[in-house]
Amino acid sequence: LKGDPAMFVAYTLVRAKMAAKARPLLARLEAEPEKGKLQLRSLGYAALALLETGESVDRRRAEQLVEELWSRAEREGGLIHWSERPD
């Protein structure tokens, strides 16, 4: 699986109580080239998956991803939104 679908699959695996199978997919976040190519929604799925594991180290990583998502937010006219980059 490529990066974006892999993060969605990781999220669904963790929700299905199969976190061990999701770990190799989530480990891709540590590979900077891979992370840089992920769409914002995929970072969101990864953060949700990490939170769902219940592990404190995963919670810290999820918090970092959420901070990154907020840093990429666009603010205009009192509104906040995210824009995906074109493929």
Side-chain angles (χ1 to χ4, degrees):
L1 286 174
K2 295 199 180 212
D4 291 308
M7 294 304 114
F8 179 74
V9 170
Y11 172 66
T12 58
L13 286 169
V14 172
R15 292 284 300 160
K17 307 296 184 212
M18 299 170 69
K21 291 189 178 197
R23 291 243 175 250
L25 300 173
L26 292 169
R28 294 179 185 185
L29 290 169
E30 304 311 315
E32 283 302 316
E34 178 80 16
K35 182 179 158 196
K37 295 177 185 174
L38 291 176
Q39 294 184 358
L40 296 174
R41 67 176 176 255
S42 297
L43 293 178
Y45 282 129
L48 290 170
L50 289 164
L51 278 174
E52 191 73 23
T53 69
E55 301 288 330
S56 60
V57 67
D58 291 339
R59 181 174 185 82
R60 284 191 296 276
R61 183 66 180 116
E63 289 170 352
Q64 291 171 343
L65 287 174
V66 170
E67 286 178 21
E68 183 173 339
L69 286 168
W70 276 114
S71 74
R72 295 189 190 183
E74 298 174 21
R75 292 161 176 85
E76 292 179 35
L79 301 175
I80 298 175
H81 66 94
W82 288 263
S83 297
E84 295 284 1
R85 70 189 185 306
D87 287 334

